[in-house]
Amino acid sequence: MSKSISESIENKGEVQDEATPVGPKTALVSIVGRPSAGKSTFLNTASGEKISIVSSIPQTTRNAIRGIVNTSLGQLVFVDTPGLHLSEKKMNLKLTQIASENIADSDSILYIIDTTREHGEEEELISNLVRPNIQKLVVALNKIEDVRSDVDSAKKFVSTFLPELPEKRIVCMSAKADQNVNDVLKALYDLAPEGPHLYPEEYYTDQEVEFRIAEIIREQAINRLQQEVPHAIYISVEDMKMEKPSLLKVRAFICVERESQKGIVIGKGASMIKEIRIESMKECRKIFPYRVDLDLRVKVDKDWRQKDKVLNKILR
Protein backbone atom coordinates (compact mmCIF):
# COMPACT_ATOMS: atom_id res chain seq x y z
CA MET A 1 0.00 0.00 0.00
CA SER A 2 1.14 3.58 -0.62
CA LYS A 3 0.76 4.49 3.05
CA SER A 4 0.03 2.47 6.18
CA ILE A 5 -3.65 2.27 7.11
CA SER A 6 -2.81 3.30 10.69
CA GLU A 7 -0.99 6.42 9.49
CA SER A 8 -3.75 7.33 7.06
CA ILE A 9 -6.55 7.05 9.60
CA GLU A 10 -4.66 8.66 12.47
CA ASN A 11 -3.83 11.64 10.26
CA LYS A 12 -7.57 12.17 9.85
CA GLY A 13 -7.99 12.29 13.62
CA GLU A 14 -10.51 9.47 13.57
CA VAL A 15 -8.88 7.07 16.03
CA GLN A 16 -10.20 6.31 19.51
CA ASP A 17 -9.45 9.00 22.11
CA GLU A 18 -6.39 8.08 24.20
CA ALA A 19 -8.36 8.69 27.39
CA THR A 20 -10.71 5.81 26.56
CA PRO A 21 -8.45 2.90 25.61
CA VAL A 22 -10.02 -0.22 24.13
CA GLY A 23 -8.80 -3.74 23.68
CA PRO A 24 -7.44 -5.00 20.37
CA LYS A 25 -9.93 -5.23 17.51
CA THR A 26 -10.11 -8.40 15.46
CA ALA A 27 -12.50 -9.35 12.68
CA LEU A 28 -12.92 -12.14 10.17
CA VAL A 29 -14.04 -10.43 6.94
CA SER A 30 -15.55 -12.25 3.96
CA ILE A 31 -15.01 -10.60 0.57
CA VAL A 32 -17.87 -11.30 -1.86
CA GLY A 33 -18.72 -10.19 -5.37
CA ARG A 34 -19.17 -11.27 -8.95
CA PRO A 35 -16.32 -12.91 -10.87
CA SER A 36 -13.62 -10.38 -11.80
CA ALA A 37 -15.04 -7.66 -9.54
CA GLY A 38 -11.57 -7.09 -8.10
CA LYS A 39 -11.74 -9.10 -4.87
CA SER A 40 -8.29 -10.66 -5.23
CA THR A 41 -6.72 -7.35 -6.29
CA PHE A 42 -8.19 -5.68 -3.20
CA LEU A 43 -6.83 -8.42 -0.93
CA ASN A 44 -3.33 -8.13 -2.40
CA THR A 45 -3.36 -4.33 -2.18
CA ALA A 46 -4.73 -4.22 1.37
CA SER A 47 -2.24 -6.75 2.72
CA GLY A 48 0.72 -5.33 0.80
CA GLU A 49 1.62 -8.85 -0.33
CA LYS A 50 0.53 -11.24 -3.06
CA ILE A 51 -2.09 -13.44 -1.40
CA SER A 52 -4.53 -14.31 -4.15
CA ILE A 53 -3.79 -14.97 -7.81
CA VAL A 54 -5.17 -12.49 -10.32
CA SER A 55 -6.34 -13.04 -13.89
CA SER A 56 -8.74 -11.56 -16.43
CA ILE A 57 -10.32 -15.04 -16.59
CA PRO A 58 -13.57 -15.04 -14.54
CA GLN A 59 -13.73 -17.29 -11.47
CA THR A 60 -9.96 -17.49 -11.03
CA THR A 61 -10.40 -17.79 -7.25
CA ARG A 62 -11.70 -21.24 -6.32
CA ASN A 63 -10.96 -21.36 -2.61
CA ALA A 64 -11.56 -19.23 0.45
CA ILE A 65 -8.15 -17.57 0.65
CA ARG A 66 -7.04 -15.74 3.78
CA GLY A 67 -5.04 -12.53 3.87
CA ILE A 68 -4.20 -10.71 7.09
CA VAL A 69 -3.94 -6.95 7.67
CA ASN A 70 -2.28 -5.90 10.95
CA THR A 71 -2.24 -2.26 12.08
CA SER A 72 -2.30 -0.34 15.36
CA LEU A 73 -6.10 -0.41 15.01
CA GLY A 74 -6.28 -4.19 15.11
CA GLN A 75 -6.26 -7.25 12.87
CA LEU A 76 -8.52 -7.90 9.88
CA VAL A 77 -8.46 -11.45 8.55
CA PHE A 78 -9.87 -11.38 5.03
CA VAL A 79 -11.32 -14.39 3.26
CA ASP A 80 -11.31 -13.96 -0.53
CA THR A 81 -14.27 -16.08 -1.62
CA PRO A 82 -14.93 -17.38 -5.15
CA GLY A 83 -16.82 -15.08 -7.50
CA LEU A 84 -20.55 -15.81 -7.47
CA HIS A 85 -22.60 -16.26 -10.62
CA LEU A 86 -25.72 -18.08 -11.79
CA SER A 87 -25.04 -21.67 -12.81
CA GLU A 88 -26.30 -25.14 -11.95
CA LYS A 89 -22.98 -26.85 -12.77
CA LYS A 90 -21.63 -28.93 -9.91
CA MET A 91 -18.41 -26.95 -9.61
CA ASN A 92 -20.20 -23.58 -9.55
CA LEU A 93 -22.67 -24.80 -6.94
CA LYS A 94 -19.71 -25.86 -4.81
CA LEU A 95 -18.12 -22.41 -5.19
CA THR A 96 -21.38 -20.73 -4.11
CA GLN A 97 -21.54 -23.03 -1.09
CA ILE A 98 -18.00 -22.00 -0.07
CA ALA A 99 -18.90 -18.32 -0.28
CA SER A 100 -22.16 -18.77 1.65
CA GLU A 101 -20.48 -20.67 4.47
CA ASN A 102 -17.82 -18.01 4.87
CA ILE A 103 -20.42 -15.23 4.98
CA ALA A 104 -22.20 -17.02 7.81
CA ASP A 105 -18.99 -17.46 9.81
CA SER A 106 -17.63 -13.92 9.35
CA ASP A 107 -17.72 -10.88 11.64
CA SER A 108 -18.00 -8.52 8.66
CA ILE A 109 -18.71 -8.69 4.93
CA LEU A 110 -17.04 -6.65 2.23
CA TYR A 111 -19.18 -6.65 -0.92
CA ILE A 112 -17.17 -5.45 -3.93
CA ILE A 113 -19.11 -4.16 -6.94
CA ASP A 114 -17.53 -3.61 -10.35
CA THR A 115 -18.67 -0.15 -11.46
CA THR A 116 -17.67 -0.80 -15.09
CA ARG A 117 -20.37 -3.45 -15.65
CA GLU A 118 -24.16 -3.42 -15.70
CA HIS A 119 -25.86 -4.87 -12.64
CA GLY A 120 -28.01 -7.84 -13.51
CA GLU A 121 -29.27 -11.08 -11.99
CA GLU A 122 -25.89 -12.09 -10.56
CA GLU A 123 -25.56 -8.81 -8.66
CA GLU A 124 -29.10 -9.21 -7.36
CA LEU A 125 -28.23 -12.75 -6.24
CA ILE A 126 -25.33 -11.44 -4.15
CA SER A 127 -27.30 -8.52 -2.70
CA ASN A 128 -29.99 -10.99 -1.60
CA LEU A 129 -27.28 -13.17 -0.06
CA VAL A 130 -25.79 -10.37 2.05
CA ARG A 131 -28.98 -8.45 2.91
CA PRO A 132 -29.79 -10.53 6.06
CA ASN A 133 -26.36 -9.48 7.38
CA ILE A 134 -26.60 -5.78 6.52
CA GLN A 135 -25.57 -4.80 10.06
CA LYS A 136 -22.07 -6.13 9.33
CA LEU A 137 -21.82 -5.09 5.66
CA VAL A 138 -19.49 -2.66 3.87
CA VAL A 139 -19.88 -2.06 0.12
CA ALA A 140 -16.91 -1.01 -2.04
CA LEU A 141 -17.65 0.39 -5.49
CA ASN A 142 -14.53 -0.68 -7.36
CA LYS A 143 -12.64 0.27 -10.53
CA ILE A 144 -13.38 3.98 -10.32
CA GLU A 145 -10.10 4.62 -12.16
CA ASP A 146 -11.54 3.00 -15.29
CA VAL A 147 -13.03 5.29 -17.95
CA ARG A 148 -15.99 2.90 -18.20
CA SER A 149 -16.85 3.32 -14.51
CA ASP A 150 -20.43 4.38 -13.76
CA VAL A 151 -20.47 5.15 -10.04
CA ASP A 152 -23.93 6.72 -10.11
CA SER A 153 -25.44 3.53 -11.53
CA ALA A 154 -23.69 1.45 -8.88
CA LYS A 155 -24.92 3.72 -6.09
CA LYS A 156 -28.46 3.51 -7.46
CA PHE A 157 -28.23 -0.29 -7.43
CA VAL A 158 -27.10 -0.29 -3.79
CA SER A 159 -29.83 2.13 -2.69
CA THR A 160 -32.44 -0.02 -4.45
CA PHE A 161 -31.38 -3.46 -3.25
CA LEU A 162 -29.70 -2.54 0.08
CA PRO A 163 -31.73 0.53 1.14
CA GLU A 164 -30.95 0.11 4.85
CA LEU A 165 -27.19 0.30 4.37
CA PRO A 166 -25.77 3.55 5.89
CA GLU A 167 -24.06 5.81 3.36
CA LYS A 168 -20.84 5.88 5.41
CA ARG A 169 -20.45 2.16 4.68
CA ILE A 170 -20.48 2.68 0.90
CA VAL A 171 -16.99 3.53 -0.36
CA CYS A 172 -15.82 4.31 -3.90
CA MET A 173 -12.38 2.81 -4.51
CA SER A 174 -9.82 1.55 -6.97
CA ALA A 175 -8.13 -1.59 -5.64
CA LYS A 176 -5.82 -1.59 -8.67
CA ALA A 177 -4.65 2.02 -8.17
CA ASP A 178 -4.73 1.77 -4.33
CA GLN A 179 -7.26 4.60 -4.17
CA ASN A 180 -9.47 4.81 -1.06
CA VAL A 181 -8.50 1.28 0.02
CA ASN A 182 -7.66 2.73 3.44
CA ASP A 183 -11.19 4.16 3.65
CA VAL A 184 -12.60 0.68 3.08
CA LEU A 185 -10.38 -0.70 5.84
CA LYS A 186 -11.45 2.12 8.18
CA ALA A 187 -15.12 1.23 7.63
CA LEU A 188 -14.35 -2.40 8.46
CA TYR A 189 -12.36 -1.48 11.58
CA ASP A 190 -15.37 0.55 12.75
CA LEU A 191 -17.43 -2.65 12.66
CA ALA A 192 -14.76 -4.92 14.15
CA PRO A 193 -15.40 -6.26 17.65
CA GLU A 194 -12.81 -6.22 20.42
CA GLY A 195 -11.01 -9.52 20.79
CA PRO A 196 -7.61 -11.21 20.75
CA HIS A 197 -5.82 -11.45 17.41
CA LEU A 198 -6.15 -14.72 15.51
CA TYR A 199 -2.60 -14.66 14.10
CA PRO A 200 0.82 -13.28 15.10
CA GLU A 201 1.39 -9.78 13.72
CA GLU A 202 4.12 -10.89 11.30
CA TYR A 203 1.63 -13.13 9.40
CA TYR A 204 0.00 -11.87 6.19
CA THR A 205 -1.57 -15.20 5.17
CA ASP A 206 -2.19 -18.65 6.62
CA GLN A 207 -1.84 -20.47 3.30
CA GLU A 208 0.34 -23.57 3.31
CA VAL A 209 3.38 -23.69 1.03
CA GLU A 210 1.90 -26.48 -1.11
CA PHE A 211 -1.29 -24.50 -1.73
CA ARG A 212 0.58 -21.31 -2.58
CA ILE A 213 2.82 -23.07 -5.09
CA ALA A 214 -0.17 -24.78 -6.71
CA GLU A 215 -1.98 -21.43 -7.04
CA ILE A 216 1.09 -19.78 -8.58
CA ILE A 217 1.31 -22.54 -11.19
CA ARG A 218 -2.41 -22.23 -11.93
CA GLU A 219 -2.12 -18.46 -12.31
CA GLN A 220 0.75 -18.76 -14.79
CA ALA A 221 -1.15 -21.44 -16.72
CA ILE A 222 -4.55 -19.75 -17.01
CA ASN A 223 -3.00 -16.43 -18.06
CA ARG A 224 -1.37 -18.19 -21.02
CA LEU A 225 -4.07 -20.61 -22.12
CA GLN A 226 -7.10 -19.94 -24.29
CA GLN A 227 -10.78 -20.75 -24.75
CA GLU A 228 -12.14 -23.31 -22.31
CA VAL A 229 -8.81 -24.65 -21.08
CA PRO A 230 -8.28 -22.33 -18.03
CA HIS A 231 -11.42 -23.63 -16.32
CA ALA A 232 -10.53 -27.21 -17.22
CA ILE A 233 -7.31 -27.36 -15.20
CA TYR A 234 -6.34 -27.94 -11.61
CA ILE A 235 -2.91 -28.36 -10.03
CA SER A 236 -1.83 -31.42 -8.09
CA VAL A 237 1.38 -31.12 -6.04
CA GLU A 238 2.58 -34.70 -5.71
CA ASP A 239 5.82 -34.27 -3.81
CA MET A 240 7.82 -31.58 -1.95
CA LYS A 241 11.26 -32.04 -0.44
CA MET A 242 13.62 -29.49 1.11
CA GLU A 243 16.99 -30.52 -0.33
CA LYS A 244 18.87 -27.86 1.65
CA PRO A 245 17.89 -24.68 3.50
CA SER A 246 17.90 -22.69 0.26
CA LEU A 247 16.24 -25.19 -2.10
CA LEU A 248 12.76 -26.77 -2.18
CA LYS A 249 12.17 -29.41 -4.84
CA VAL A 250 8.56 -29.76 -6.01
CA ARG A 251 6.93 -32.25 -8.38
CA ALA A 252 3.54 -31.13 -9.67
CA PHE A 253 1.00 -31.87 -12.41
CA ILE A 254 -1.28 -29.60 -14.39
CA CYS A 255 -4.39 -31.78 -14.66
CA VAL A 256 -6.77 -31.37 -17.61
CA GLU A 257 -10.07 -33.00 -18.55
CA ARG A 258 -9.32 -34.24 -22.07
CA GLU A 259 -6.40 -35.54 -24.10
CA SER A 260 -6.75 -32.69 -26.61
CA GLN A 261 -6.23 -30.15 -23.80
CA LYS A 262 -3.01 -31.87 -22.76
CA GLY A 263 -1.38 -30.96 -26.06
CA ILE A 264 -2.43 -27.30 -25.67
CA VAL A 265 -0.88 -27.06 -22.21
CA ILE A 266 2.35 -28.73 -23.32
CA GLY A 267 2.61 -26.59 -26.47
CA LYS A 268 4.70 -27.02 -29.59
CA GLY A 269 8.07 -28.45 -28.65
CA ALA A 270 6.97 -28.29 -25.01
CA SER A 271 7.24 -24.50 -25.23
CA MET A 272 4.11 -23.74 -23.19
CA ILE A 273 4.83 -26.05 -20.25
CA LYS A 274 8.43 -24.75 -20.13
CA GLU A 275 7.23 -21.15 -19.99
CA ILE A 276 4.70 -21.93 -17.25
CA ARG A 277 7.40 -23.72 -15.26
CA ILE A 278 9.98 -20.94 -15.56
CA GLU A 279 7.54 -18.13 -14.75
CA SER A 280 6.12 -20.08 -11.81
CA MET A 281 9.59 -20.49 -10.33
CA LYS A 282 10.21 -16.75 -10.76
CA GLU A 283 6.99 -15.93 -8.88
CA CYS A 284 7.87 -18.38 -6.11
CA ARG A 285 11.21 -16.65 -5.68
CA LYS A 286 9.40 -13.37 -4.98
CA ILE A 287 7.40 -14.97 -2.16
CA PHE A 288 9.57 -17.61 -0.49
CA PRO A 289 12.97 -17.08 1.19
CA TYR A 290 14.35 -20.08 -0.71
CA ARG A 291 14.55 -21.24 -4.32
CA VAL A 292 11.83 -23.54 -5.65
CA ASP A 293 12.95 -26.09 -8.25
CA LEU A 294 9.82 -27.19 -10.10
CA ASP A 295 9.34 -30.46 -11.99
CA LEU A 296 6.10 -29.72 -13.87
CA ARG A 297 4.14 -32.16 -16.04
CA VAL A 298 0.66 -32.56 -17.54
CA LYS A 299 -1.81 -35.40 -17.09
CA VAL A 300 -5.44 -36.12 -17.97
CA ASP A 301 -8.07 -36.56 -15.25
CA LYS A 302 -11.13 -37.16 -17.41
CA ASP A 303 -14.19 -35.04 -16.51
CA TRP A 304 -12.71 -34.09 -13.13
CA ARG A 305 -15.19 -31.24 -12.67
CA GLN A 306 -17.93 -33.83 -12.20
CA LYS A 307 -16.03 -35.82 -9.56
CA ASP A 308 -16.91 -35.02 -5.94
CA LYS A 309 -13.60 -36.50 -4.73
CA VAL A 310 -11.58 -34.02 -6.79
CA LEU A 311 -13.85 -31.04 -6.09
CA ASN A 312 -13.73 -31.66 -2.34
CA LYS A 313 -9.94 -31.79 -2.52
CA ILE A 314 -9.31 -28.61 -4.51
CA LEU A 315 -12.29 -26.48 -3.40
CA ARG A 316 -12.30 -25.55 0.29
Side-chain angles (χ1 to χ4, degrees):
M1 296 171 63
S2 57
K3 181 198 286 192
S4 76
I5 173 65
S6 307
E7 211 174 83
S8 175
I9 296 174
E10 287 166 10
N11 286 344
K12 293 180 182 180
E14 297 181 51
V15 295
Q16 191 78 20
D17 189 280
E18 290 184 3
T20 56
V22 296
K25 282 192 164 190
T26 302
L28 187 63
V29 184
S30 287
I31 310 175
V32 299
R34 291 166 68 189
S36 301
K39 300 182 298 299
S40 298
T41 301
F42 169 83
L43 181 58
N44 293 339
T45 300
S47 66
E49 300 285 350
K50 183 167 183 174
I51 306 295
S52 195
I53 65 175
V54 178
S55 170
S56 60
I57 304 293
Q59 285 194 298
T60 296
T61 302
R62 290 176 175 172
N63 304 78
I65 296 174
R66 293 193 178 193
I68 303 158
V69 174
N70 290 294
T71 77
S72 62
L73 302 180
Q75 183 176 88
L76 299 177
V77 181
F78 288 97
V79 182
D80 181 11
T81 62
L84 299 174
H85 80 127
L86 297 169
S87 175
E88 292 300 317
K89 291 182 179 179
K90 181 175 286 191
M91 181 172 172
N92 291 319
L93 292 173
K94 180 72 174 178
L95 294 176
T96 301
Q97 178 187 345
I98 292 170
S100 300
E101 289 173 351
N102 278 283
I103 288 172
D105 293 338
S106 65
D107 298 302
S108 304
I109 304 164
L110 175 58
Y111 175 16
I112 296 181
I113 296 176
D114 182 350
T115 61
T116 68
R117 290 187 286 176
E118 293 185 4
H119 316 294
E121 285 186 275
E122 289 181 348
E123 212 74 80
E124 292 179 27
L125 166 72
I126 301 170
S127 65
N128 289 334
L129 192 65
V130 301
R131 189 179 298 118
N133 300 283
I134 203 164
Q135 76 282 357
K136 60 179 184 179
L137 178 67
V138 171
V139 171
L141 308 180
N142 193 27
K143 303 187 183 180
I144 60 172
E145 86 291 348
D146 196 304
V147 294
R148 299 167 296 172
S149 174
D150 188 345
V151 173
D152 289 339
S153 176
K155 286 183 175 179
K156 184 177 180 180
F157 172 84
V158 174
S159 64
T160 301
F161 289 91
L162 299 167
E164 297 176 4
L165 184 67
E167 188 174 345
K168 66 179 181 179
R169 285 197 259 136
I170 305 170
V171 183
C172 297
M173 76 162 185
S174 169
K176 182 178 179 180
D178 193 2
Q179 184 178 348
N180 298 339
V181 170
N182 284 345
D183 293 334
V184 175
L185 295 177
K186 172 59 171 61
L188 291 166
Y189 273 118
D190 286 345
L191 292 175
E194 292 180 37
H197 291 174
L198 300 176
Y199 296 93
E201 289 192 5
E202 66 270 19
Y203 277 44
Y204 63 88
T205 183
D206 66 351
Q207 297 172 14
E208 296 177 354
V209 171
E210 177 180 330
F211 176 79
R212 300 199 77 186
I213 291 174
E215 285 290 273
I216 287 169
I217 296 170
R218 190 164 68 89
E219 177 184 44
Q220 296 304 314
I222 64 180
N223 283 331
R224 287 169 171 77
L225 299 172
Q226 55 187 324
Q227 298 173 357
E228 82 285 359
V229 179
H231 290 301
I233 69 170
Y234 74 90
I235 311 301
S236 176
V237 175
E238 299 292 329
D239 185 57
M240 293 197 311
K241 184 178 181 182
M242 189 64 77
E243 291 285 317
K244 46 188 176 181
S246 60
L247 177 63
L248 176 67
K249 288 203 168 185
V250 179
R251 184 167 60 93
F253 288 90
I254 298 176
C255 302
V256 296
E257 285 189 311
R258 298 193 297 275
E259 197 68 37
S260 60
Q261 295 166 342
K262 183 177 179 180
I264 296 173
V265 177
I266 293 173
K268 186 176 181 180
S271 59
M272 180 63 75
I273 190 69
K274 286 179 181 177
E275 184 178 349
I276 294 170
R277 173 181 174 270
I278 290 170
E279 294 305 316
S280 295
M281 289 193 295
K282 287 181 181 178
E283 284 298 308
C284 286
R285 194 68 187 93
K286 295 176 184 178
I287 294 173
F288 301 113
Y290 43 77
R291 187 164 61 88
V292 175
D293 183 12
L294 184 59
D295 175 7
L296 187 60
R297 308 181 188 190
V298 185
K299 69 178 179 181
V300 178
D301 186 353
K302 186 174 173 58
D303 297 327
W304 65 263
R305 281 183 287 184
Q306 302 304 317
K307 297 177 180 178
D308 288 329
K309 183 177 180 181
V310 175
L311 295 178
N312 290 336
K313 179 181 178 182
I314 68 171
L315 305 179
R316 44 193 174 122

